[in-house]
Amino acid sequence: MTENAQQQPPAPATDLPTQYAPADVEGALYERWVERGYFAADAKSDKPAYTIVIPPPNVTGSLHLGHAFQHTLMDALTRRKRMQGYEALWLPGMDHAGIATQNKVEQQLAEEGKSRHDLGREEFVERVWQWKEEYGGKILGQMRRLGDGVDWDRERFTMDEGLSKAVQTIFKRLYDDELIYRAERIINWCPRCLTAISDIEVEHQEDAGELVSIRYGEGEDSLVVATTRAETMLGDTAVAVHPDDERYRHLIGKLIKLPLTDRSIPVVADTHVDPEFGTGAVKVTPAHDPNDFAIGQRHDLPSMTIMDEHGVITVHGPFLGQDRFEARSAVVGALRSQGRIVAEKRPYVHSVGHCSRCKTTVEPRLSMQWWVKVAPLAKAAGDAVRDGRVKIHPEDMSKRYFDWVDNMFDWCISRQLWWGHRIPVWYGPNGETVCVGPDEEPPTGEGWTQDTDVLDTWFSSGLWPFSTLGWPEQTEDLRKFYSTDVLLTGHDIIFFWVARMMMFGLYAMDGEVPFKTIALTGLVRDERGKKMSKSFGNVVDPLDWMDKYGSDALRFTLARGANPGTDVPIGEDWVQASRNFANKIWNATRFALMNGATVEGPLPEASKLSATDRWILARLNETVEQVDAYYEDFQFAKLSDALFHFAWDEVFDWYVELSKTTFQAGGEPAEVSKRVLGEVLDVTLRLLHPVVPFVTDTLWTTLTGGESLVIADWPKDSGFRDDAAEREIELVQQVVTEVRRFRADQGLQPGQRVPARLTLDGTALAPHEAAIRQLLRLQPEGEGFSATATLPVAGAEVALDLSGVIDVAAERKRLAKDLAAAEKEKAQATAKLGNEAFLAKAPDQVVDKIRGRLAKADEDITRITAQLDRLPQA
C-alpha cells in the first residue's frame, strides 16, 4: 500500500493533547509548510507536471463560502497529485477588478469631498495602487487560513508588469489579424459606473414599471405603439410594422408626426416585428435599443442620442436636463394632456437589466467602442470540446457551453475607466490610428493622443493560464506547466471566464488548449437550498466557522456536499458534525498510540493475521481503490463520504473495538494487530489528508515520525482482498447489531451488563466470542443462569438472562399497550381505504397519507410482536 516514510520510531502518545484544538495547530502548521517549500513547483523537475488554474479573486474581495468551496476542492486535487509524485503547481494571484476597485477608491475620494477628476488620471491611478497595497489582497491571507497549498513565490496580479506585457501583446496580435476593431454600436451603459459593461455583467430582475400605449400620427394615418420607456420616444426615428400586416400596409413608406416634437418619422416594414404581439407596431429608437439599432441599420435610419452618460435628457424642449426616470413621468404626463395615451398598465412587471456591481438600471446606449470579432475564436473554442481535446465534467454541462460559444456576439472590450490596462492605440492629428506592441515606441509629437479607455477586466483574466507562466516569453514555466490540467470553477462563470480563456489560449498558444478538463461545480447555498444573499440575511462568513470549528471541519463539510455541477447546501450543524469527525480521528489515533499501534517493520504475513486483521486490510485496499476512482471522476462528495464511513464506522467503531480483547490478551496476536492498526491509520490519514490537511498531518507525524503528509506518498492499492474474512466479520457485525437492537428494544442501557450464553460452535463466529461479549456487555452464564430470551442470529444462538435486569411483566404490559394502539390504527386505516365513497371524494394526497399510516401500523405490529415473542413468560 505505502512505503513507510519514517526513519525513526514514532513519538509517544503523550505528545498529543487529550483534545484537538484547531486554533493551536493550524496557523503555525501552515507557515511551517510554506517555509519548508512544500508547495513550490520546480520547472526543472523530471516529475510529470500537474497544474491547476486558480480563478483569480478580485483584489477588493474577501473569502466567501464560494471561494472556500472551490479552493478546498482545488487544494485536494493538488495535494493528492503532489503525493502521487507529480510536480504540482497551483499558482495564486488576484484580478485588478477594474470597476469594483475604481469604485472603492472613488468612494474614498467622495468622503474627502473630491472626485477622480480633481486628481487627474495619473494621480488617480497612483491612488488606486496605494489602495491596493494598503487594503487589497485581504483574501490572500484568508486563503492561508483555509490551508491553500499554493506556490506563493509565483503570486501574480493582472496589472503587474509581466501580465500587462501579455495583454498588450495579444491586443496587438488580434488587432493586426483584424480580430479587434472599433465601431459605434449599442452597448450596455451604467450611468453610475459611467462605463460600458458586457452582456454577462448585466443582471436581469423583475421590476414593477409601467406600460403605456401611445398614438402616433392623426386619423387614418395613425397607429399605436406600446413602451415601458416612454422617454425614449424623443429619439424615435421610425415606426416599424410587419410587411404582411394588412392593418398597416397603407402606411408603409409614409411619414407620421412624432408627438411632442416637430419631427415626422417614416413607417418602415421589417420582418423582425411580430404582428401578433401588442398592436403589431413598434417604435424604433436606434440609439437606445439593440433591436432598434439593427432595424435602423437595415433601413438606413438616423440615430438620435437623447441622453448623456449620466442618463440625463439632452434634447431641446421641456425635458432638457431631466433625469431619465423623471423624464419618463413628464413625457407620459405631456402625452396624456394631448390625449395621446390610449392605455396605461401600472404596475407592469417586466425584466430589467441592472449593473451587476452597483445595481443601477442599465441604459442601452449607442457608443463608439472597441470590439473583439469572436466568430473564429469561438468556433475554435467549441471545436476543442467537440473533438475531445478538452473535456467538460459533468458532461451534461457541455450543452450550456455550446449554447454560449456557438451563439456568441462580438465582445465589447473597452471600458470608460481609468483603472485597468489602457488600450494601446494612439490617434494622430490627421486621423491616424496606430496600435502599439509592448516592444514598440508609441508615436510622439503634437496632436498624438492615446485612447482613454481601458480593457474589460475579463480580457486580462482570459490570458491567466499562460500569462502567469511568462507568456509571451517562452519560459521554463510555460514549457513545463502549460497546458494546465484542470480548471475547476462554478458553472455560473462559463460565460464570463471559461469561454474567454478557451478563445485566447487556443489563439495565443497555436491551438494548444489552456486546460484539459473543465470541472464545473454548483453554487453554495444555505441549508434549505436557498441562495445566500445579504437581503435574505443568510450570508455566512466562512472565517467565523473556521474560528469556531477549525478549517478542516469547514473543508470536509464543503467537500462532502460537492456533487459535480450541482449546488451545495451547507449549515452550521453540518460543520459541527465535521468537527466531531476531526475529534473522532484525533481520539482514535491517541487510543491507538497508547495501545502500541506502530508502523515499524513490514506487515506480517497473511498466515499470521487474524480474520479481523485481514478484513480491515481488505477493506482498506478497497477504499484506496474507491477513493482513487472518485478523484478521477471529480466525485468529491462520494470520496469524502466513503472516507468518513470507512474511518468512523469500520476502523474506529469496528476494528478498534474488535481488537481491544486482542490487545488485552497480549502475545504475538496483539503485536500483529498493533502493526495492522498502525498501517490502517497511516493509510487512512494519507487518504484523508488532501481534504482535511491539518489534523491529519499532526496525527500522522506523531504516529510515523515522518516529516509531513504534504510530501508523503499517496497510498496504493496492494491488491490484497479476502472475501472469506469479510464474510466472517459481516457475521460478527450481524450478531452484534441484532443483539444491540434487542437490548435497546428492551430498554437496556448500553453499558448495562447481562448474563448470556453464546452457542457459536461450528460457526465462523467461534473465534470472536470474547470480542462479541465485550462489544455487547455480556457476562458469562454463571450459576443459576436462566435463558429468558433467545435470539437465533447468523447461524448461532444468543441466550440472555433478563431476570433481574428488566421487569418482564411491566415490559409485556407496555408492549401489549403499544400493540393494541398499532392494531387500532390499522383497523381505522383499513376501514377508510375500504370505503368506496371516501376514496371517490378524498384528494390523492389524503389517500396516500392513510396508506402510509396503514403501512406504518403493519410495520409496528410486526416489530412489537417479535419483541413480545422474545420476552420470557412473566
Side-chain angles (χ1 to χ4, degrees):
M1 265 171 283
T2 63
E3 296 178 9
N4 296 312
Q6 80 289 348
Q7 299 298 322
Q8 55 192 26
T14 51
D15 283 2
L16 286 177
T18 55
Q19 290 186 324
Y20 178 49
D24 296 341
V25 171
E26 293 178 349
L29 182 55
Y30 184 84
E31 293 309 316
R32 194 179 313 139
W33 292 336
V34 173
E35 288 165 9
R36 292 179 178 178
Y38 293 158
F39 306 138
D42 182 2
K44 295 183 173 66
S45 167
D46 293 332
K47 296 178 182 178
Y50 181 82
T51 316
I52 280 196
V53 176
I54 190 172
N58 286 352
V59 66
T60 59
S62 59
L63 191 75
H64 58 63
L65 276 174
H67 289 129
F69 170 55
Q70 291 182 358
H71 284 215
T72 293
L73 306 187
M74 287 185 276
D75 193 38
L77 290 172
T78 313
R79 285 176 181 269
R80 173 174 173 263
K81 286 295 183 180
R82 191 178 290 115
M83 294 173 74
Q84 286 182 313
Y86 287 79
E87 196 63 39
L89 172 60
W90 188 24
L91 187 147
M94 293 182 297
D95 190 279
H96 65 279
I99 295 177
T101 309
Q102 179 155 322
N103 283 347
K104 289 277 187 184
V105 179
E106 288 197 84
Q107 287 166 13
Q108 273 192 348
L109 290 174
E111 292 170 4
E112 301 169 16
K114 298 177 183 177
S115 76
R116 59 176 161 136
H117 301 285
D118 295 322
L119 273 63
R121 184 170 193 141
E122 190 173 331
E123 189 177 340
F124 176 78
V125 171
E126 179 58 34
R127 179 75 175 256
V128 181
W129 277 108
Q130 290 172 7
W131 182 92
K132 185 256 182 186
E133 293 305 316
E134 187 171 354
Y135 300 106
K138 178 170 69 171
I139 192 171
L140 298 179
Q142 295 167 341
M143 287 164 58
R144 301 171 92 95
R145 279 288 314 276
L146 189 65
D148 281 9
V150 295
D151 187 345
W152 291 109
D153 292 338
R154 282 183 165 84
E155 181 189 333
R156 303 306 296 267
F157 179 54
T158 50
M159 287 283 285
D160 69 25
E161 184 177 352
L163 271 65
S164 295
K165 181 178 181 180
V167 168
Q168 194 172 352
T169 299
I170 201 164
F171 187 99
K172 170 70 171 171
R173 291 188 186 179
L174 289 163
Y175 181 87
D176 290 346
D177 287 344
E178 298 183 348
L179 293 172
I180 281 183
Y181 63 95
R182 193 169 185 242
E184 191 174 45
R185 300 270 185 85
I186 289 284
I187 48 90
N188 303 298
W189 181 264
C190 177
R192 157 64 185 80
C193 298
L194 297 179
T195 182
I197 58 176
S198 66
D199 290 343
I200 52 180
E201 293 169 298
V202 177
E203 293 179 350
H204 287 86
Q205 65 184 49
E206 298 295 306
D207 283 2
E210 62 179 349
L211 179 70
V212 294
S213 298
I214 310 166
R215 182 174 299 281
Y216 285 18
E218 305 295 341
E220 291 185 358
D221 291 347
S222 68
L223 39 67
V224 175
V225 301
T227 181
T228 58
R229 302 167 66 221
E231 72 282 4
T232 63
M233 68 156 292
L234 301 173
D236 285 359
T237 58
V239 173
V241 298
H242 194 277
D244 299 331
D245 194 332
E246 293 291 341
R247 293 171 295 176
Y248 304 117
R249 183 166 289 178
H250 69 289
L251 289 176
I252 295 172
K254 288 188 177 182
L255 296 176
I256 61 172
K257 184 71 182 298
L258 180 65
L260 305 183
T261 73
D262 58 1
R263 294 189 293 115
S264 292
I265 58 176
V267 177
V268 298
D270 197 283
T271 54
H272 169 76
V273 179
D274 180 0
E276 303 297 322
F277 183 76
T279 64
V282 296
K283 57 191 289 299
V284 182
T285 321
H288 293 279
D289 183 274
N291 294 322
D292 293 4
F293 178 78
I295 294 174
Q297 293 286 97
R298 288 194 290 272
H299 297 277
D300 199 24
L301 299 173
S303 295
M304 284 187 60
T305 299
I306 64 159
M307 63 182 78
D308 66 13
E309 60 186 8
H310 297 279
V312 173
I313 302 298
T314 56
V315 294
H316 295 292
F319 313 107
L320 181 65
Q322 291 184 351
D323 172 80
R324 54 186 168 151
F325 300 117
E326 180 186 4
R328 183 172 299 171
S329 297
V331 165
V332 171
L335 289 167
R336 190 183 296 115
S337 68
Q338 292 185 5
R340 291 196 171 272
I341 299 295
V342 175
E344 296 180 68
K345 186 174 182 180
R346 189 184 299 112
Y348 178 71
V349 178
H350 61 126
S351 180
V352 177
H354 296 260
C355 174
S356 61
R357 290 174 176 82
C358 70
K359 311 309 176 188
T360 301
T361 300
V362 167
E363 191 64 42
R365 175 181 170 85
L366 185 63
S367 181
M368 183 68 76
Q369 302 285 344
W370 285 94
W371 304 80
V372 171
K373 187 185 295 182
V374 301
L377 303 173
K379 182 181 184 303
D383 290 345
V385 175
R386 286 189 170 96
D387 64 24
R389 283 175 289 155
V390 177
K391 297 192 181 303
I392 293 180
H393 188 86
E395 191 176 350
D396 58 12
M397 285 281 179
S398 298
K399 183 180 183 302
R400 296 185 65 181
Y401 176 79
F402 291 131
D403 285 347
W404 180 251
V405 297
D406 293 347
N407 300 285
M408 195 182 294
F409 296 108
D410 283 1
W411 172 19
C412 176
I413 55 171
S414 45
R415 299 291 181 266
Q416 290 64 56
L417 303 170
W418 288 355
W419 172 245
H421 296 101
R422 195 163 173 181
I423 288 176
V425 171
W426 272 255
Y427 306 110
N430 300 310
E432 303 96 329
T433 299
V434 176
C435 180
V436 177
D439 301 319
E440 301 171 349
E441 289 296 326
T444 57
E446 187 176 348
W448 283 94
T449 58
Q450 185 178 359
D451 195 298
T452 57
D453 288 351
V454 300
L455 288 163
D456 177 11
T457 295
W458 297 103
F459 190 94
S460 52
S461 59
L463 314 181
W464 189 259
F466 52 94
S467 64
T468 53
L469 299 174
W471 187 90
E473 308 303 328
Q474 292 301 308
T475 63
E476 284 187 327
D477 278 358
L478 193 65
R479 286 191 291 270
K480 177 75 174 179
F481 297 111
Y482 190 90
S483 61
T484 69
D485 290 87
V486 178
L487 169 68
L488 188 145
T489 190
H491 60 66
D492 57 322
I493 61 170
I494 290 178
F495 322 123
F496 285 90
W497 192 44
V498 178
R500 279 140 172 69
M501 285 190 290
M502 285 285 282
M503 291 192 301
F504 282 167
L506 290 162
Y507 173 79
M509 299 299 293
D510 299 320
E512 193 174 358
V513 297
F515 23 75
K516 301 176 185 74
T517 300
I518 302 168
L520 296 171
T521 70
L523 308 179
V524 179
R525 297 183 177 271
D526 72 11
E527 56 195 307
R528 295 179 180 83
K530 194 173 183 179
K531 179 181 178 181
M532 288 193 173
S533 164
K534 290 180 181 178
S535 60
F536 295 154
N538 61 352
V539 174
V540 173
D541 185 343
L543 294 171
D544 291 342
W545 281 351
M546 286 193 279
D547 288 343
K548 196 169 182 180
Y549 303 111
S551 299
D552 282 333
L554 176 64
R555 289 171 60 115
F556 193 69
T557 305
L558 291 165
R560 206 171 176 194
N563 290 298
T566 59
D567 290 346
V568 183
I570 185 172
E572 187 168 1
D573 288 351
W574 305 342
V575 185
Q576 186 173 353
S578 295
R579 188 272 314 272
N580 294 344
F581 179 51
N583 288 344
K584 182 79 170 180
I585 301 169
W586 184 272
N587 293 334
T589 305
R590 284 191 77 252
F591 168 85
L593 287 168
M594 288 189 294
N595 282 275
T598 179
V599 295
E600 290 188 88
L603 275 173
E605 296 175 4
S607 60
K608 295 184 177 180
L609 301 174
S610 68
T612 308
D613 293 333
R614 296 196 308 277
W615 163 73
I616 197 62
L617 288 174
R619 287 294 305 123
L620 179 65
N621 278 281
E622 288 166 8
T623 301
V624 171
E625 179 187 32
Q626 192 176 37
V627 168
D628 276 336
Y630 286 145
Y631 262 115
E632 295 306 313
D633 200 33
F634 303 99
Q635 297 281 359
F636 296 97
K638 289 182 178 179
L639 72 88
S640 300
D641 211 47
L643 285 170
F644 174 86
H645 287 295
F646 174 71
W648 192 307
D649 299 344
E650 296 183 295
V651 179
F652 306 147
D653 280 359
W654 283 108
Y655 181 72
V656 169
E657 293 299 321
L658 286 169
S659 299
K660 282 182 178 178
T661 53
T662 305
F663 293 153
Q664 291 164 2
E668 185 179 0
E671 297 306 310
V672 168
S673 290
K674 289 174 185 178
R675 178 63 189 90
V676 170
L677 179 55
E679 179 75 7
V680 170
L681 286 175
D682 174 11
V683 175
T684 302
L685 292 171
R686 293 177 197 242
L687 290 172
L688 282 165
H689 175 73
V691 180
V692 282
F694 294 105
V695 66
T696 52
D697 196 49
T698 305
L699 293 172
W700 185 85
T701 53
T702 304
L703 172 71
T704 68
E707 183 180 339
S708 174
L709 261 180
V710 181
I711 56 171
D713 293 333
W714 181 253
K716 294 179 181 177
D717 175 10
S718 71
F720 179 81
R721 301 290 189 275
D722 194 320
D723 294 342
E726 292 200 50
R727 287 194 297 271
E728 186 170 320
I729 300 305
E730 283 173 9
L731 292 176
V732 174
Q733 292 171 328
Q734 189 178 340
V735 170
V736 172
T737 301
E738 186 66 27
V739 176
R740 279 177 175 168
R741 185 182 296 119
F742 175 77
R743 288 175 57 109
D745 287 344
Q746 307 311 314
L748 297 177
Q749 295 302 312
Q752 192 170 354
R753 295 198 168 273
V754 178
R757 179 176 64 240
L758 274 61
T759 305
L760 307 177
D761 293 344
T763 74
L765 295 166
H768 303 282
E769 179 169 353
I772 291 171
R773 284 187 176 277
Q774 180 159 314
L775 286 167
L776 291 171
R777 305 294 190 266
L778 301 180
Q779 297 175 185
E781 299 172 44
E783 192 174 342
F785 175 82
S786 173
T788 58
T790 302
L791 283 75
V793 57
E797 188 176 89
V798 179
L800 304 174
D801 184 354
L802 300 179
S803 58
V805 178
I806 62 171
D807 185 335
V808 175
E811 186 64 13
R812 278 191 167 278
K813 186 176 180 181
R814 180 185 71 80
L815 289 173
K817 184 178 179 181
D818 290 347
L819 181 61
E823 288 172 338
K824 182 180 179 181
E825 175 73 3
K826 178 179 180 178
Q828 291 175 342
T830 301
K832 282 193 174 183
L833 292 173
N835 185 334
E836 294 295 336
F838 169 77
L839 292 176
K841 293 180 182 178
D844 289 345
Q845 62 267 30
V846 172
V847 175
D848 288 344
K849 187 175 180 180
I850 293 171
R851 288 192 178 118
R853 285 168 48 192
L854 177 59
K856 175 68 166 56
D858 278 332
E859 186 181 299
D860 288 345
I861 290 168
T862 301
R863 175 180 54 81
I864 296 167
T865 302
Q867 288 176 244
L868 283 166
D869 289 344
R870 289 170 181 163
L871 281 176
Q873 295 299 316

